Amino acid sequence: MPNVHLTEPMQKYAQAQIESGAYANLSEVVRAGVRMLMEKDGARQFYTLKADLEMAATLAENGDFAEFDAQAFEPDAFDR
């Protein structure tokens, strides 16, 4: 893994976190930051999906939809 280069304010913040006892070393501080980014990305994906579903529900409520024919979509599922 490559070295991490931090700006001076970031270095000072990370060092303060270590000195406060919140983290044992810089690696822990960086891992915590990456975890937060991962969580934020997961939340972003959730809210994008939520917005898409809300838009689809609004369109459907306004009659803007096509009937779905499950048998035409997957005919083999009905051959029992």
Side-chain angles (χ1 to χ4, degrees), residues 18-36:
I18 295 165
E19 289 172 2
S20 75
Y23 299 94
N25 54 48
L26 182 58
S27 291
E28 287 186 5
V29 175
V30 172
R31 282 193 297 270
V34 171
R35 276 192 298 275
M36 289 177 69

Side-chain angles (χ1 to χ4, degrees), residues 9-55:
M10 288 178 176
Q11 290 175 10
K12 288 181 179 180
Y13 181 81
Q15 188 59 40
Q17 293 296 304
I18 295 165
E19 289 172 2
S20 75
Y23 299 94
N25 54 48
L26 182 58
S27 291
E28 287 186 5
V29 175
V30 172
R31 282 193 297 270
V34 171
R35 276 192 298 275
M36 289 177 69
L37 288 171
M38 291 169 72
E39 289 172 8
K40 183 179 176 184
D41 285 344
R44 183 179 300 123
Q45 291 171 356
F46 168 78
Y47 287 113
T48 298
L49 175 61
K50 184 175 184 273
D52 290 346
L53 291 173
E54 288 172 351
M55 171 75 75

